[in-house]
């Protein structure tokens, strides 16, 4: 049995209060957060700054490089090269204080195998919630590294195959996307009936679901199909019907905005293909406005970067949090988005993103107070993963 105690100023995302405390861990989990040093806890390790739960990035692509043409690079490389880069990307996340990532698509069942290696203790890396291969229509967004399926029966079978292969979240493509040439980014793709069949299989297996959805029609199709998280939501204003679907009383739904993805592309427009810029430019200010409107309408928002897309590096979650704040989210809700809400969105509510007893002992000490300075997220002083200080 491995026990350890950490002493510092802990900022609790459930109460939004900071206080001195002693956090006791046992075998990688939190035993208690005490206001006085427990007599039986032994010597405590002091953590400077403000200590928060380990950060959660709800949308990454570990196999993507973050270069100008990440999909093209991936398709030209060997499987071993992709794996080696993914390992480096995991290290970049951990150094930034990210102790859990949800990988939403890539080749070779890479994220599932990395997830298994991390859980077996073979890698010191963030916890991974893997989707395996995304499910898309024939020729749809992400088809180069996804699983193509058409019609409810094929989609149902595809979801079952991903579950069998070890996926812990099933991802669908409700619309086209920016990085797939010849596909309109906001256009409807998979139908409501197709996604509903896949969602049913995932939910029967106790798994969460996610969908790439940029246009409003695709967002609504996905929500009506029972999808748990909407990724991007970049085109078109959300309307009252969409807000009503997000507010489903029977099952929580989340928006994962990934504001960093179009921001990276538009900031490097002179270095990228014209077709990519043409598809991204309409997003711009509208994406920020959508996030602000969704927040004010009461939509649950979880932080996620889409890391690995053009000029959107792994470990860049602090930039995403600053963009969310710029879109109109107060700093306390930015904090919730990267802790409590993100934990729910990735299917691990109560197990990460909190100081509750029984949760993972994942911590990051920040140089500053994230409730008064959004840039504090970019200044990690120490990172603890599963009870062990790693950075």
């Amino acid at each position: 049995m491995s026990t350890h105690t950490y002493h510092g100023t802990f900022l609790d995302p459930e109460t939004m209060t900071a206080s001195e405390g002693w956090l006791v861990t046992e075998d990688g989990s939190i035993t208690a957060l005490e206001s006085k040093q427990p007599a039986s806890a032994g010597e405590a390790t002091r953590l400077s700054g403000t200590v928060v739960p380990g950060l959660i990035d709800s949308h990454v692509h570990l196999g993507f490089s973050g270069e100008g043409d990440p999909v093209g690079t991936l398709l030209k490389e060997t499987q071993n090269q992709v794996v080696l880069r993914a390992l480096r990307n995991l290290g970049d996340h951990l150094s930034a204080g990210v102790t859990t990532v949800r990988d939403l698509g890539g080749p070779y069942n890479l994220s599932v195998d990395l997830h298994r290696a991390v859980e077996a203790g073979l890698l010191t890396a963030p916890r991974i919630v893997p989707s395996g291969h995304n499910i898309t229509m024939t020729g749809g967004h992400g088809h180069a590294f996804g699983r193509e399926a058409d019609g409810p029966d094929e989609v149902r079978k595809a979801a079952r195959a991903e579950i069998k292969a070890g996926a812990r979240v099933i991802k669908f493509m409700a619309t086209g996307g920016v990085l797939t040439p010849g596909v309109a980014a906001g256009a409807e793709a998979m139908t409501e009936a197709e996604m509903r069949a896949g969602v049913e299989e995932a939910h029967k297996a106790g798994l969460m679901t996610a969908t790439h959805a940029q246009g409003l029609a695709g967002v609504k199709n996905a929500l009506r199909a029972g999808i748990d998280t909407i990724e991007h939501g970049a085109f078109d204003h959300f309307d009252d019907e969409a807000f009503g679907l997000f507010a489903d009383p029977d099952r929580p739904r989340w928006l994962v905005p990934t504001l960093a993805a179009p921001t990276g592309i538009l900031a490097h427009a002179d270095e990228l293909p014209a077709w990519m810029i043409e598809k991204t430019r309409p997003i711009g200010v509208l994406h920020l406005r959508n996030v602000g409107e969704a927040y004010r309408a009461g939509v649950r928002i979880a932080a996620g970067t889409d890391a690995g897309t053009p000029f959107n590096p792994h470990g860049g979650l602090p930039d995403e949090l600053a963009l969310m704040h710029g879109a109109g989210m107060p700093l306390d809700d930015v904090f919730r988005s990267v802790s409590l809400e993100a934990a729910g969105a990735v299917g691990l509510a109560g197990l990460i993103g909190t100081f509750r007893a029984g949760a993972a002992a994942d911590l990051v000490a920040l140089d500053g107070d994230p409730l008064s300075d959004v840039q504090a997220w970019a200044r990690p002083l120490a990172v603890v993963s599963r009870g062990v200080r790693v950075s």
Side-chain angles (χ1 to χ4, degrees):
M1 183 172 65
S2 173
T3 62
H4 198 83
T5 302
Y6 291 95
H7 173 219
T9 299
F10 293 86
L11 177 59
D12 190 332
E14 299 194 58
T15 63
M16 290 294 154
T17 58
S19 57
E20 184 178 18
W22 283 259
L23 188 137
V24 184
T25 75
E26 181 177 307
D27 293 337
S29 297
I30 296 172
T31 300
L33 177 57
E34 306 283 1
S35 58
K36 296 182 179 179
Q37 184 171 8
S40 60
E43 185 176 354
T45 297
R46 171 71 185 177
L47 296 176
S48 302
T50 303
V51 184
V52 298
L55 311 185
I56 305 162
D57 192 332
S58 303
H59 189 139
V60 309
H61 297 279
L62 293 172
F64 287 14
S65 64
E67 299 170 352
D69 183 14
V71 175
T73 298
L74 184 152
L75 295 176
K76 289 185 290 189
E77 292 181 332
T78 67
Q79 184 170 343
N80 287 342
Q81 287 175 307
V82 177
V83 170
L84 290 171
R85 184 175 55 249
L87 294 174
R88 182 193 67 191
N89 293 340
L90 283 167
D92 289 343
H93 283 291
L94 199 58
S95 295
V98 176
T99 54
T100 299
V101 297
R102 183 177 61 160
D103 184 283
L104 286 182
Y108 314 126
N109 215 35
L110 171 65
S111 63
V112 171
D113 289 337
L114 289 172
H115 156 78
R116 289 169 173 161
V118 171
E119 294 305 308
L122 300 177
L123 294 176
T124 299
R127 178 181 296 96
I128 302 169
V129 180
S131 69
H133 303 94
N134 57 259
I135 300 173
T136 188
M137 71 180 195
T138 296
H141 182 50
H143 66 84
F145 51 88
R147 184 185 291 274
E148 292 174 303
D150 300 303
D153 289 344
E154 281 193 17
V155 172
R156 188 181 300 278
K157 185 173 182 179
R160 288 174 175 173
E162 290 304 314
I163 294 167
K164 177 183 177 182
R168 305 307 301 159
V169 57
I170 306 300
K171 183 188 178 186
F172 306 91
M173 298 300 204
T175 71
V178 168
L179 298 188
T180 304
V183 174
E188 290 180 69
M190 296 185 75
T191 67
E192 177 185 338
E194 287 174 324
M195 286 185 282
R196 182 180 293 110
V199 169
E200 286 175 358
E201 293 304 313
H203 287 174
K204 283 195 301 185
L207 303 184
M208 298 282 283
T209 57
T211 186
H212 167 102
Q214 293 190 301
L216 182 58
V219 168
K220 290 181 181 180
N221 285 342
L223 290 169
R224 284 192 290 257
I227 288 284
D228 298 298
T229 72
I230 296 291
E231 313 299 310
H232 317 305
F235 284 111
D236 310 319
H237 283 286
F238 292 135
D239 58 18
D240 289 342
E241 182 184 8
F243 290 140
L245 290 167
F246 270 111
D248 183 347
D250 297 324
R251 191 176 180 104
R253 312 293 187 88
W254 286 266
L255 172 65
V256 183
T258 69
L259 291 164
T263 298
I265 291 172
L266 293 175
H268 295 266
D270 58 340
E271 303 171 58
L272 294 168
W275 60 264
M276 189 181 296
I277 302 305
E278 287 175 14
K279 290 204 285 183
T280 306
R281 202 177 299 283
I283 298 172
V285 174
L286 179 58
H287 197 179
L288 288 165
R289 190 181 304 159
N290 280 355
V291 175
E293 290 176 353
Y295 168 77
R296 290 187 290 276
V299 174
R300 292 173 178 263
I301 297 178
T305 59
D306 209 2
T309 56
F311 301 102
N312 183 12
H314 292 270
L317 185 58
D319 293 331
E320 178 71 20
L321 300 179
L323 288 166
M324 292 167 71
H325 180 49
M329 289 184 64
L331 291 174
D332 56 348
D333 283 318
V334 170
F335 183 19
R336 289 188 184 93
S337 80
V338 77
S339 55
L340 302 174
E341 295 296 350
V346 305
L348 295 174
L351 300 178
I352 57 174
T354 178
F355 293 138
R356 294 181 190 177
D362 297 341
L363 315 170
V364 56
L366 302 172
D367 179 15
D369 176 8
L371 296 187
S372 60
D373 176 13
V374 73
Q375 296 303 322
W377 297 109
R379 299 192 298 269
L381 299 171
V383 181
V384 174
S385 177
R386 303 182 194 233
V388 177
R389 184 167 176 169
V390 294
S391 174

